[in-house]
Amino acid sequence: MGRYLQLLKLQLRTSALLAAQYRWDFLIDGLISLVWAATAIAPLLIVYSGRSQTMIPGWSMNEALVVTGWFILLQAILEGAINPGLQAVVDHIRKGTLDFVLLKPADAQFLVSTSRFQLWRVVSVGTGIAVFFIAFGRMGRAPSPAGLAQATVLLCTATLVLYSMWILIVSTAFYVVKVDNLTYMFSSIFDAARWPSSVFRGVLKAVFTFVIPLALMTTWPAEALLGRLEPVTLVYAIAASLGFAAASRTVWLLSLRRYASAGG
Amino acid sequence: MISVRGLKKHYRVHKRPPGLKAALKSLFKREYTTVPAVDGIDFEIKPGERVGFLGPNGAGKTTTLQVLAGLLYPSDGEVRVDGHLPQKREVAFLKKIMLVMGQKQQLLWDLPPSDTFELNRAIYDVPRDEAKKRVDGLIELLQIGDVVNKPTRQLSLGERMKCELAAALVHGPKVLFLDEPTIGLDVSMQVVMRDFIRTYNEQFGATLILTSHYMDDVAALCPRVIVIDKGQLSYDGGLDELVQRVRPEKRVAFRLSAAVPLSALEGLGKVVKNDGAEAVLQVPVEQVNAVVGKALQSLPVKDLTVENPPLEEVMSELFSRSRAEKGKAA
């Protein structure tokens, strides 16, 4: 475990060296992050610009803004920490250099997952947190310590689910070489997480709750911060994230086996 | 050190006749055939040996190497490398081996090679001072002191290959798998790489398996060769004996002070070349002395050398011969 922490530190250092080489990215990423934040908030403003103050059932505009904050935050984690490393797997498979990873005496999933970070995406994390401050500022209150604690747990479960889904998608790269379309599809589905889950009805609601648990990623953490999360939801979130993690690990290992016995 | 018994590696590939109709049909129903990449080979390699794998493209050399390195599961047979089953990819096994592929690279593209060395040091869990000593030694042997701190993308192919080798040796492996390590390099860089590989083998007693298209690599590095053709082992033994067996002839090259007519040479042996300044004859081994004696008397010889026929020719003759034999058997 200590060794893996040390490895993570070293991989982060490598990414930091890369980030320092391309320092203009800092400025560009900063700007992009602001544009993303604006485009994430704009639809809310449109929806809430009508006469009624609660267009989304059960959510005032400021409350919905908290959901948007989580969306920005998780998107930053996805694009800064999860996506780059796993994109590397796809490249490895295409170029045949995954062999080098598999020959290393360390877990291959760990090595590829941590191989790249887009560190400038930290700017977007800051933007997400700023949105929380604005939303709570406009509501004139602050999250309770219990709410913060719940939100922290949900941040971990959301990240784990997001990561596991990504691993599941990337594992398909072992079967079909072009996964670009799949990753686009996932990105656009993830886009729906900018809305509180109560906007979805019927089949969509079921899909976004059980198949792709978007509620777990943004709505529940927002509810936690707002202090209205049912504590039992935490249990669901933890169970679901562990389930996803176990499933993705299994699929990853099976895919590696396939690569080893078919490859070449 | 390495033992291979009855190794088979078969691939199941889907077979499709050409044409759009067949392509559409194959969307729904596919027919598969089994392709034997490696079809039952056996050999043993002792610690510290340098062995060359030879064979035409698609003969099964790389597949065999990948099975030995644990990247592929064998379809049948047993492979052991220093007591380990490679396909289990145990940490202890992985720390003992290295694989360099001339056509693929592990160095981080945008960062200097020294960063890849450090990353590999951590991944292989090599103590810092031990790694430093080893890397310093490698830098000196390969003379890459002034390139290890430049971003990899700025290096020439030769510099990059040297650094690839160094990166793969940071953990001090005992078994080296080299798949076409000199591909694309110019002749002088090939020589540098060969010298380095031999020195490393002698200094550390590492076992070495090499595949290469450059016969000179094999001739310079490997006292023993294993010839694989169509997934089967067609020769295992010394390189010299192989040449002897396939071509029990020598080449005698004369440098001449004056041109001689073809008829003066034809009585001595098979004429390979006669351009006025140089004449080359192919002569059965047992007749070399007699031919040289006669030539010195009858021809204006300035200088002469006796050599084996070029390895490329020996190989192509061996492969075409084994095909013809198989054709006959079938």
Side-chain angles (χ1 to χ4, degrees):
Chain A
M1 195 64 194
R3 184 164 151 255
Y4 278 94
L5 272 179
Q6 208 207 345
L7 275 180
L8 178 63
K9 208 174 97 190
L10 203 65
Q11 300 266 51
L12 275 168
R13 178 181 165 271
T14 308
S15 291
L17 286 173
L18 271 177
Q21 279 209 0
Y22 300 103
R23 58 209 164 121
W24 284 101
D25 286 17
F26 174 65
L27 200 70
I28 295 165
D29 272 20
L31 284 175
I32 291 176
S33 160
L34 288 178
V35 172
W36 274 115
T39 54
I41 295 168
L44 260 192
L45 294 177
I46 295 166
V47 166
Y48 283 94
S49 64
R51 248 169 264 155
S52 159
Q53 276 299 297
T54 48
M55 293 298 283
I56 298 170
W59 295 81
S60 74
M61 177 176 165
N62 291 329
E63 288 165 350
L65 201 54
V66 178
V67 176
T68 309
W70 279 104
F71 174 68
I72 296 170
L73 190 65
L74 281 174
Q75 204 173 36
I77 292 174
L78 180 68
E79 286 175 4
I82 299 175
N83 201 351
L86 295 180
Q87 185 58 44
V89 184
V90 179
D91 293 343
H92 274 315
I93 293 172
R94 228 183 22 216
K95 290 195 258 171
T97 45
L98 192 69
D99 291 352
F100 289 124
V101 180
L102 297 178
L103 286 181
K104 297 284 190 302
D107 185 71
Q109 187 181 344
F110 173 84
L111 284 181
V112 292
S113 303
T114 58
S115 67
R116 277 283 176 287
F117 295 95
Q118 294 282 345
L119 291 181
W120 295 135
R121 284 297 143 104
V122 169
V123 179
S124 303
V125 174
T127 313
I129 291 168
V131 170
F132 294 148
F133 273 97
I134 293 168
F136 278 94
R138 286 165 55 115
M139 285 185 275
R141 63 188 181 98
S144 66
L148 274 175
Q150 286 178 339
T152 311
V153 173
L154 288 172
L155 175 65
C156 298
T157 58
T159 306
L160 189 57
V161 169
L162 211 49
Y163 170 71
S164 303
M165 300 199 82
W166 215 233
I167 285 280
L168 285 170
I169 290 174
V170 165
S171 294
T172 59
F174 290 95
Y175 301 86
V176 287
V177 175
K178 261 181 86 74
V179 289
D180 301 15
N181 296 333
L182 263 178
T183 60
Y184 281 133
M185 191 183 83
F186 181 70
S187 299
S188 45
I189 290 174
F190 177 69
D191 220 47
R194 69 171 76 226
W195 302 105
S197 58
S198 58
V199 300
F200 299 109
R201 292 284 148 85
V203 180
L204 274 186
K205 186 180 167 125
V207 168
F208 289 153
T209 309
F210 298 109
V211 186
I212 303 167
L214 293 181
L216 184 155
M217 293 182 204
T218 55
T219 307
W220 293 353
E223 285 179 333
L225 277 186
L226 292 166
R228 60 185 204 209
L229 185 79
E230 299 270 347
V232 68
T233 315
L234 272 182
V235 181
Y236 291 147
I238 292 169
S241 62
L242 292 179
F244 264 99
S248 67
R249 177 73 181 170
T250 310
V251 169
W252 167 265
L253 290 177
L254 284 174
S255 306
L256 271 194
R257 256 194 90 94
R258 187 190 141 94
Y259 178 83
S261 52
Chain B
M1 179 55 93
I2 296 173
S3 99
V4 172
R5 284 207 198 95
L7 171 65
K8 285 185 187 175
K9 177 69 197 173
H10 292 181
Y11 292 118
R12 197 162 153 262
V13 291
H14 108 253
K15 188 173 72 176
R16 199 187 76 198
L20 183 64
K21 207 175 139 195
L24 287 175
K25 206 177 139 201
S26 80
L27 283 176
F28 303 101
K29 193 177 172 223
R30 291 196 164 183
E31 283 176 34
Y32 290 93
T33 45
T34 307
V35 177
V38 176
D39 203 18
I41 60 176
D42 306 77
F43 58 83
E44 302 270 334
I45 293 175
K46 290 190 216 61
E49 260 196 287
R50 297 193 302 259
V51 179
F53 277 4
L54 292 176
N57 282 333
K61 295 171 302 210
T62 301
T63 304
T64 308
L65 216 55
Q66 283 176 323
V67 171
L68 287 176
L71 288 168
L72 294 177
Y73 282 66
S75 308
D76 197 10
E78 196 190 65
V79 173
R80 287 201 177 263
V81 176
D82 203 16
H84 301 273
L85 285 173
Q87 69 265 32
K88 284 190 167 172
R89 284 211 283 272
E90 295 154 323
V91 170
F93 165 72
L94 294 174
K95 284 187 177 182
K96 283 180 193 169
I97 65 156
M98 70 86 117
L99 171 69
V100 163
M101 295 178 275
Q103 283 154 316
K104 296 170 187 174
Q105 64 158 9
Q106 67 159 325
L107 293 172
L108 298 164
W109 185 245
D110 287 309
L111 293 176
S114 54
D115 284 315
T116 306
F117 298 170
E118 172 58 15
L119 197 61
N120 279 357
R121 180 203 69 73
I123 291 173
Y124 283 97
D125 216 5
V126 185
R128 237 170 247 280
D129 37 341
E130 186 188 325
K132 186 176 177 336
K133 222 169 95 189
R134 195 173 292 134
V135 168
D136 287 347
L138 289 168
I139 287 176
E140 202 187 308
L141 258 177
L142 286 162
Q143 299 177 347
I144 46 175
D146 47 348
V147 299
V148 288
N149 291 317
K150 279 192 219 165
T152 303
R153 66 183 134 83
Q154 290 175 11
L155 305 184
S156 72
L157 180 61
E159 290 169 338
R160 215 162 71 206
M161 267 326 287
K162 285 180 178 179
C163 294
E164 279 288 332
L165 262 182
L169 292 171
V170 170
H171 60 290
K174 280 164 56 182
V175 183
L176 277 49
F177 298 117
L178 306 168
D179 193 13
E180 306 272 356
T182 57
I183 201 155
L185 299 182
D186 63 40
V187 177
S188 67
M189 193 56 83
Q190 286 179 23
V191 172
V192 173
M193 295 284 275
R194 271 175 222 150
D195 286 348
F196 168 76
I197 293 167
R198 194 182 316 105
T199 311
Y200 186 89
N201 157 269
E202 282 162 2
Q203 269 186 7
F204 301 100
T207 311
L208 189 139
I209 298 185
L210 169 93
T211 76
S212 180
H213 270 101
Y214 300 115
M215 293 302 166
D216 292 345
D217 277 353
V218 180
L221 279 174
C222 306
R224 174 179 167 196
V225 294
I226 290 178
V227 179
I228 301 173
D229 193 16
K230 295 256 167 92
Q232 287 177 341
L233 199 138
S234 63
Y235 178 81
D236 180 359
L239 186 61
D240 291 339
E241 294 93 88
L242 175 66
V243 175
Q244 284 289 321
R245 207 174 77 171
V246 180
R247 274 271 181 98
E249 288 153 335
K250 291 271 180 189
R251 290 219 164 162
V252 189
F254 303 100
R255 281 185 56 210
L256 304 168
S257 54
V260 291
L262 197 59
S263 55
L265 296 167
E266 274 171 347
L268 297 169
K270 191 179 159 209
V271 182
V272 180
K273 183 179 166 189
N274 180 28
D275 64 1
E278 192 185 35
V280 180
L281 297 176
Q282 193 151 301
V283 180
V285 177
E286 62 281 3
Q287 292 175 22
V288 168
N289 285 344
V291 168
V292 168
K294 265 191 230 165
L296 286 175
Q297 281 175 2
S298 61
L299 301 174
V301 175
K302 278 203 295 195
D303 189 13
L304 71 85
T305 52
V306 179
E307 289 163 354
N308 281 325
L311 210 48
E312 261 85 6
E313 274 180 31
V314 175
M315 282 302 131
S316 68
E317 189 167 328
L318 177 72
F319 297 147
S320 58
R321 203 184 282 179
S322 80
R323 281 212 185 104
E325 274 166 20
K326 262 178 217 157
K328 245 184 259 166

